[in-house]
Every structure is written in structure tokens, then in C-alpha cells.
Amino acid sequence: LSPQSSVLSPQSSVLSPQSSVLSPQSSVLSPQSSVLSPQSSVLSPLSSCVKRRNLILAFVLIGLFLAAGRLYFRTYVRQKPFAVILFVTEGLTPARLAAARQYSGGSDNRLGLEYLPKVALLRSSAADYAVGDGAATASAIATGTRTNLRAVAIDPAGRMRSTLVDLARVEGRSTGLVTDVGLAEGGAAAFYARSPDVREAESIARQLTDGRKFEVILGGGAGDFRDVMKGGRRQDSRDLDRELQGAGYSLARNAAELDAIPAWTLPRVAGLLGDDLVPDALPLSDLVRRAIQYLEKRPGGYFLVVHAGASDRAALMNGSEAVLQRFLELDRAVATAQQYAGARTLLIAAGLHETGGFALNGYPLRSDRGVALLGINPTSNLPAITWATGPNGRQPVDTAAKQDPAASFSLGAVGTVSDALVFAAGEGSESIGGVMEPGDLFELIRREL
């Protein structure tokens, strides 16, 4: 009990602050102790589990965020189609549609156009005449403004108008032009040229070459691109086909040369496929397929204009069977576009005007088709097909009636006051219906570019 006792003494080895038991550096209390250390073998597995849980939770939250964003985008954000394909043609009218249906397979037949879910009537007059032509109505669709008869993308005040092709390029889309007649004809020219008169083919062809607005050009009328000394029709000594080559286009003059141009290289293609009409060996449906294959691999989407103009050539000469065959080729071309362009496509087929006053008359049987519709109808003993105007009209020197007669003679059939049809399908076609103006189509397509 003595204060100096070795037990109670402050210097005692038991109570001393330096004692090995109480010392902060003791192996029991030290933060670096193997018992308390976070890196200890007891706490380490728990820490790994927490890290894995947090990582999984982060991935789950990211996935939920992306899914919610995708749902919002698909539900509330309006998406534009990747492809916008516009067909324009002469003679897309109820009378021609019914006759082509009968010619193809009888009354119970149904054409591909008739399966498109949207249909409307299109008012096709020009700015100055009640009867439009290919140049005027195509210009109204291409620019949103009516033009005078024969005028190409120039309004009645003489102002040059921007076209849907111009707007498509501003939006970063690739563009293509396909026609089964000359590339300088009105229905095609309205989308790239400006001219007070569609008959100025030399100037219009020059604008196609100088403008270079298309990645893909497929059509006829090669004579408008070559100098007269080289078998063409140009008087200015320019060889526009060679100029297209110099501008980076792969030039093709037939199917074999088109086949030799691989689509995966993203080429610029100029197919000048006939001096006038495109040969029957390259039908419109085949040209549409090729154009889509050239355009579909380009980023940013594309706008393709398809002008089916050969039916107008046939109608001018009262070529009844040729008119029906051209109508059916248009139908095949539209089906081809649906097949190759895919789901994200706005497809529109619009009539421009009607030439000649075509009519299928008498009382053909429901099963009558093909050549059974030509000549004299056995039930009525009258011509099965008639025209209002054209070269089949009788003249004083004629001694015999013609197979498909016209009521009045003219060197070429003239246009009629007739509304045209519009068929459509795909993204953006919801507003098509009723009776429409060409400007309505312009606005609809402009929104989808």
C-alpha cells in the first residue's frame, strides 16, 4: 500500500500511458489494426458487394433512362421518313384506272395502286387555263405555285420559284430523278429547271447539267445533251453528257453500263438511256429499283422524283392499248418502290392532267380482259374505246372508220378538263384525302423533307 508501491505507482508498467495495453499505438487500438482496418479481411468482401451493387444500379438507371427517352421520342417527337418518293404522270384518272384494271384482269381484278390506303382528287388546272399540262401541274406540285400553261417553275409574274428538290438538298437529303421519256420534258423538268416555255429543251437540259442537283439521273432524251454534229439536237456545240462525266458522274447509256456501276461506292449516276424515249428493255419499274439501290445507302435520307411520261406520248396519238400498258407499268413501278424502299417511306403517286378524252365504252363482260377490250364491242356493236380528240378523228378524205375513233381530228390529242387522282402510303400521308390543290401536296412533302 505504500505510495511508492510498484503496483500503484504512476510509473507502473500497468497504468503507464506508455503501457503496451493502453498505448494508442497498441496493436489492439491502432487504426491500422488488422481488426479495425477497412482493408481487413472481414470488411473487404462487403465493400466489393457494395461496389457491384452500385455498378448494377447505375446500369439499370441508364437503361431505364434510355428506354424512357426512346418511348418519349417515339410517342411525342414527330419522325420524318427516310425516303420520300413522288410519282407524277399523265392520265392518272378514274376512267383510266377502271379501264386499266379491266384490261389487266377483268372487273374483279385490283391494281397495286388501289391497295394504297390514301386517295384524293387533285385539281389540275393551270394558272391561265382550266386545262393544265405536264409542265404547269408538275410545277405547281414542285413549287407550291400555279404556273401558266407550258411554264416550268416560273410563276405568272415571271418569278423563278424554288422547288422541292432545292428544299430537299437544304435538308441534307440526296436526290434522284427518273423518267421514261426525255429528261427535259415538262413533268421532270419542273423539279430542277426554270423556263417560260417547256419546249426550250436545249436550255432545260443545260440547267440539268449545270445545276448538278441530283445524285442519280435516269431517263431518255440523250439527243438534248449532245451536239448536232455528234448526232444530237444541240446547236450550241456543248456535249453535256461529257460535261456530266467531268463533274464526277458515272455515265451509262444502257442496262449493261448501269450494271457496271456498283451502288456501294455511292456513285453519282447519269443514265442517258435513249435519244428520245427510254427503250422498253429498261421499263420504268427497273429504273425505279436501280435509283433506290443507288440512293438508299446514302446517309440523311433521299427524295426521288419519278416521272411516268410515256403514257402521255401514247395518248397524244390515240394509242389505246399503249396507254393501258403504260398505266400498268406505272402500277408495277409503284409496287417496286414499296418493295425496295422499306417501311420508313412516304410514297405519293399524283396525276398531272389527262390528254385526249379516253373512254372505255359499251358493255364488256366482267371477265373480258386484254385484247378482248379492243376493237368493236360485240354487245353494243360500237367501238370499245373512243377518244374525244386526236389523229383518229375522221377527216373528209377518210373512207373507213378507225378502230379507236376520236370525235374530232387533231394532229395530237389535246388536254381535257379533268381532275386527277392522288394515291399515297407511309409516314406523313395521313392528311391526304378529299379534293386537293397541287400546293397542298407541295406543303405536305415539304414538311416531310
Side-chain angles (χ1 to χ4, degrees):
L1 295 177
S2 169
Q4 286 75 33
S5 162
S6 62
V7 177
L8 298 176
S9 171
Q11 288 74 32
S12 156
S13 63
V14 176
L15 298 177
S16 170
Q18 288 74 33
S19 157
S20 63
V21 177
L22 298 177
S23 169
Q25 287 74 33
S26 112
S27 62
V28 177
L29 297 177
S30 171
Q32 287 73 34
S33 153
S34 63
V35 177
L36 297 177
S37 171
Q39 287 75 31
S40 73
S41 60
V42 176
L43 296 178
S44 183
L46 179 61
S47 175
S48 299
C49 289
V50 170
K51 287 182 178 180
R52 282 197 298 271
R53 183 201 64 187
N54 290 343
L55 188 61
I56 293 170
L57 182 60
F59 278 119
V60 170
L61 290 174
I62 291 172
L64 289 174
F65 177 79
L66 292 175
R70 179 180 173 83
L71 179 63
Y72 175 84
F73 183 80
R74 290 175 64 89
T75 305
Y76 298 105
V77 178
R78 187 171 173 276
Q79 302 178 64
K80 293 184 177 182
F82 179 79
V84 179
I85 302 177
L86 172 64
F87 287 81
V88 291
T89 183
E90 183 274 339
L92 186 53
T93 62
R96 297 266 189 100
L97 174 69
R101 179 199 306 133
Q102 187 76 31
Y103 179 84
S104 174
S107 297
D108 294 325
N109 182 45
R110 195 169 184 180
L111 300 182
L113 282 166
E114 297 178 89
Y115 288 99
L116 299 185
K118 299 296 181 180
V119 62
L121 282 176
L122 183 70
R123 294 161 58 100
S124 61
S125 60
D128 51 354
Y129 288 97
V131 177
D133 65 351
T137 309
S139 294
I141 295 173
T143 68
T145 302
R146 290 190 188 277
T147 68
N148 291 335
L149 206 69
R150 298 197 183 102
V152 178
I154 294 179
D155 68 20
R159 294 185 294 260
M160 297 184 179
R161 312 293 300 193
S162 296
T163 72
L164 289 169
V165 170
D166 299 322
L167 299 176
R169 297 196 72 79
V170 170
E171 294 296 325
R173 289 183 180 267
S174 300
T175 52
L177 177 66
V178 170
T179 182
D180 54 4
V181 292
L183 287 159
E185 295 199 16
F191 291 88
Y192 67 84
R194 280 81 176 163
S195 175
D197 194 327
V198 69
R199 294 171 292 187
E200 296 177 348
E202 187 170 304
S203 169
I204 291 171
R206 175 181 52 77
Q207 292 180 62
L208 177 61
T209 303
D210 294 346
R212 300 170 192 172
K213 296 180 179 181
F214 299 99
E215 277 67 39
V216 176
I217 303 167
L218 300 175
D224 296 322
F225 292 79
R226 287 198 306 272
D227 180 67
V228 67
M229 298 299 293
K230 296 184 178 180
R233 294 184 285 273
R234 299 196 65 80
Q235 303 291 330
D236 59 3
S237 301
R238 291 182 65 176
D239 286 330
L240 301 184
D241 50 358
R242 297 299 180 189
E243 292 182 26
L244 285 169
Q245 276 188 307
Y249 284 87
S250 297
L251 185 64
R253 294 184 176 87
N254 52 52
E257 291 181 1
L258 283 176
D259 291 338
I261 303 173
W264 62 268
T265 61
L266 305 183
R268 302 187 83 185
V269 181
L272 303 180
L273 305 170
D275 282 346
D276 188 18
L277 290 163
V278 175
D280 291 340
L282 280 167
L284 187 66
S285 54
D286 186 55
L287 298 181
V288 168
R289 173 186 64 82
R290 292 174 185 272
I292 291 173
Q293 290 175 333
Y294 285 131
L295 291 168
E296 66 184 354
K297 295 175 177 59
R298 294 177 177 272
Y302 63 89
F303 176 44
L304 174 62
V305 178
V306 182
H307 171 230
S311 60
D312 192 37
R313 294 285 195 92
L316 284 169
M317 304 310 296
N318 295 152
S320 304
E321 188 168 21
V323 162
L324 297 173
Q325 290 171 343
R326 294 297 185 180
F327 196 106
L328 296 180
E329 180 55 32
L330 167 69
D331 193 60
R332 286 188 288 270
V334 171
T336 298
Q338 285 189 292
Q339 176 185 351
Y340 282 88
R344 290 188 56 202
T345 300
L346 169 61
L347 188 149
I348 298 174
L352 298 178
H353 64 111
E354 197 274 343
T355 298
F358 173 97
L360 177 61
N361 309 287
Y363 299 93
L365 299 174
R366 290 183 60 85
S367 59
D368 283 350
R369 54 178 292 183
V371 295
L373 297 179
L374 306 177
I376 300 298
N377 179 273
T379 304
S380 64
N381 200 33
L382 293 170
I385 296 176
T386 59
W387 296 84
T389 61
N392 283 3
R394 294 194 67 176
Q395 301 182 72
V397 296
D398 289 338
T399 57
K402 298 178 180 178
Q403 177 174 299
D404 303 329
S408 299
F409 173 82
S410 58
L411 292 175
V414 301
T416 64
V417 176
S418 176
D419 289 339
L421 289 170
V422 177
F423 291 95
E427 300 177 2
S429 65
E430 298 81 10
S431 61
I432 287 182
V435 179
M436 303 182 70
E437 298 284 350
D440 298 333
L441 277 187
F442 169 84
E443 289 296 335
L444 184 151
I445 296 171
R446 182 187 62 80
R447 289 195 301 268
E448 300 303 324
L449 293 175

